[in-house]
């Protein structure tokens, strides 16, 4: 039985082409929208399994590569130009595309993001407020501003008082703005304006984004639920991913 159709799509932001894939259920119309955002150094493939699962539940699902946002990206844009805020702009462009389709319900929108994609989704929801019905944050990287102030972001080390023009971060080459644009940002103040429904899923053994960030976010949101993945790391695999997926389906099932 075919539950959904798969097709590639493109949209644009500031003249940059964003490449994505959509999974549209074969039954129903005015379908609820679910847009899934990948994390730092990743691409749309890292969230594909969640899109396929939720398409089976009746969601029109959209995954995409951020401009300059990861390895093996099919989208345009330079990695040295990418920041959290350029990714917010990318996500808004994908949302506009998803809402333009005749099969979708533009008034039923969920944003889901993993790691940096979670932070981006949370910022976008805070900016768009009532236009977003709910958000799902898997191990959201709310630590990014704090890491920038420490001069330690993933594999990158630099002087936060003198950010270099180029930041070498493992296989990713970033620009100064990646750190500079978040240097004076309070992540929790930035996301707090969103008053819709929130699901946070985070592992207690996450070595990249400490579990305490999820606890703090859950306390700041007005309508939030935190699902704890005991001993889960950063990027769920195996039984931890099955637990996280079960939480996602339970939360969004229509």
């Amino acid at each position: 039985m075919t539950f959904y159709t798969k097709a590639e799509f493109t949209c644009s932001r500031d003249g940059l082409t964003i490449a994505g894939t959509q999974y549209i259920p074969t039954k129903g119309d005015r379908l609820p929208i679910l847009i899934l955002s990948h994390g730092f150094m990743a691409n749309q493939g890292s969230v594909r399994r969640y899109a396929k699962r939720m398409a089976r539940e009746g969601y029109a699902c959209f995954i995409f590569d951020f401009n300059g946002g990861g390895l093996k990206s099919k989208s345009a844009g330079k990695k040295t130009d990418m920041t959290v805020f350029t990714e917010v702009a990318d996500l808004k462009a994908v949302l506009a595309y998803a809402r333009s389709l005749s099969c979708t319900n533009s008034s039923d929108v969920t944003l889901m993001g993993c790691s940096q994609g979670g932070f981006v989704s949370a910022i976008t929801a805070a900016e768009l407020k009532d236009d977003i019905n709910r958000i799902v944050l898997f191990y959201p990287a709310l630590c990014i501003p704090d890491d920038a102030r420490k001069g330690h972001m993933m594999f990158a080390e630099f002087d936060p008082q003198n950010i270099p023009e180029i930041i070498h971060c493992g296989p990713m080459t970033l620009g100064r703005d990646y750190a500079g644009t978040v240097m004076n940002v309070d992540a929790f103040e930035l996301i707090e304006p969103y008053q819709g429904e929130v699901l946070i899923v985070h592992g207690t053994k996450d070595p990249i984004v400490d579990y305490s960030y999820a606890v703090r976010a859950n306390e700041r949101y007005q309508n939030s639920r935190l699902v704890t993945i005991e001993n889960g790391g950063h990027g769920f695999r195996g039984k931890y991913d099955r637990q996280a997926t079960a939480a996602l389906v339970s939360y969004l099932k229509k």
Side-chain angles (χ1 to χ4, degrees):
M1 181 178 181
T2 302
F3 292 94
Y4 54 79
T5 59
K6 171 188 173 183
E8 295 182 352
F9 73 88
T10 60
C11 57
S12 65
R13 185 269 296 173
D14 297 331
L16 299 173
T17 299
I18 301 169
T21 308
Q22 61 192 39
Y23 297 86
I24 306 298
T26 54
K27 292 184 178 180
D29 53 11
R30 286 184 55 79
L31 300 165
I33 294 168
L34 174 60
I35 302 178
L36 304 96
S37 296
H38 67 76
F40 180 74
M41 288 199 299
N43 56 52
Q44 60 182 290
S46 64
V47 294
R48 192 181 307 278
R49 63 191 183 280
Y50 303 127
K52 289 181 176 181
R53 182 66 182 84
M54 294 315 302
R56 292 171 64 96
E57 295 296 334
Y59 281 81
C61 297
F62 302 83
I63 60 177
F64 64 100
D65 295 335
F66 283 112
N67 282 308
L71 306 175
K72 299 181 180 180
S73 174
K74 293 182 179 179
S75 293
K78 298 177 181 178
K79 295 178 179 64
T80 50
D81 292 335
M82 182 271 293
T83 71
V84 166
F85 300 104
T86 65
E87 293 198 345
V88 168
D90 289 345
L91 178 51
K92 288 179 178 178
V94 174
L95 174 57
Y97 166 78
R99 280 182 161 150
S100 74
L101 301 181
S102 60
C103 64
T104 62
N105 181 356
S106 61
S107 63
D108 191 345
V109 176
T110 302
L111 301 182
M112 174 180 172
C114 299
S115 193
Q116 180 167 300
F119 189 24
V120 169
S121 297
I123 296 170
T124 304
E127 292 184 359
L128 298 180
K129 297 184 175 65
D130 293 341
D131 289 339
I132 307 300
N133 298 81
R134 63 197 71 79
I135 57 177
V136 178
L137 310 176
F138 275 21
Y139 42 92
L142 303 175
C143 60
I144 288 176
D146 287 342
D147 290 350
R149 286 185 281 271
K150 295 173 185 175
H152 177 74
M153 305 181 80
M154 290 284 287
F155 311 113
E157 300 279 354
F158 56 88
D159 179 0
Q161 302 302 317
N162 186 25
I163 306 171
E165 188 70 28
I166 296 296
I167 301 173
H168 297 286
C169 187
M172 287 278 285
T173 301
L174 309 172
R176 174 184 293 163
D177 283 349
Y178 181 76
T181 54
V182 294
M183 193 64 68
N184 298 312
V185 166
D186 182 319
F188 299 97
E189 287 186 1
L190 199 61
I191 69 173
E192 190 174 28
Y194 182 67
Q195 298 181 9
E197 298 178 14
V198 182
L199 173 67
I200 305 170
V201 184
H202 208 117
T204 59
K205 298 294 186 181
D206 191 328
I208 296 174
V209 182
D210 192 89
Y211 174 71
S212 62
Y213 282 92
V215 174
R216 291 170 63 190
N218 188 55
E219 292 171 347
R220 295 292 284 268
Y221 281 126
Q222 295 184 23
N223 189 10
S224 179
R225 175 188 172 196
L226 172 60
V227 173
T228 298
I229 306 296
E230 291 294 338
N231 298 314
H234 193 78
F236 301 131
R237 295 292 183 270
K239 68 176 183 179
Y240 304 120
D241 193 52
R242 289 192 291 273
Q243 292 171 25
T245 301
L248 170 67
V249 173
S250 175
Y251 188 71
L252 294 184
K253 195 164 186 176
K254 293 290 185 178

